[in-house]
Amino acid sequence: SNDYISSKNSPIYLLKKKKRCYFCLNNVKEVDYKNPSLLLRLLSNEAKIAARRRTGLCAKHQRGLSTAIKRARIMALLPFVSR
């Protein structure tokens, strides 16, 4: 089916299963900034917002994630930088 990422140059054994959007799968309408445990999973080690390639989120929820992380940082629920 269409679950695998492919390109012209990639052999069949290098195909990876495409990640599905966590929020779409769980029927989450909005990303909640008051849930820091979920937001921390979607940050990199340097406390940067992870890219869609890594998170597997759809464009709509990636934008919501970005806004939620920024709000959580302002409310001091998440760090701006990590040590």
Side-chain angles (χ1 to χ4, degrees):
S1 71
N2 200 9
D3 286 344
Y4 291 92
I5 300 169
S6 65
S7 70
K8 283 185 174 180
N9 300 331
S10 67
I12 193 77
Y13 60 87
L14 290 180
L15 295 179
K16 293 184 178 181
K17 192 159 182 154
K18 192 161 51 166
K19 289 184 182 179
R20 305 292 297 183
C21 178
Y22 171 82
F23 298 110
C24 288
L25 288 177
N26 294 315
N27 294 324
V28 176
K29 299 291 182 200
E30 288 184 20
V31 184
D32 189 15
Y33 73 92
K34 294 171 285 207
N35 188 355
S37 59
L38 173 65
L39 297 178
L40 274 172
R41 290 186 340 169
L42 301 168
L43 291 176
S44 71
N45 293 338
E46 297 88 28
K48 291 182 180 181
I49 300 172
R52 275 183 66 195
R53 290 185 307 273
R54 185 171 159 264
T55 60
L57 297 180
C58 64
K60 174 184 172 183
H61 286 115
Q62 181 71 23
R63 286 193 301 271
L65 172 73
S66 176
T67 304
I69 288 174
K70 291 172 186 177
R71 285 180 182 166
R73 284 175 173 166
I74 295 296
M75 300 289 290
L77 299 173
L78 289 178
F80 277 97
V81 294
S82 68
R83 295 180 185 208

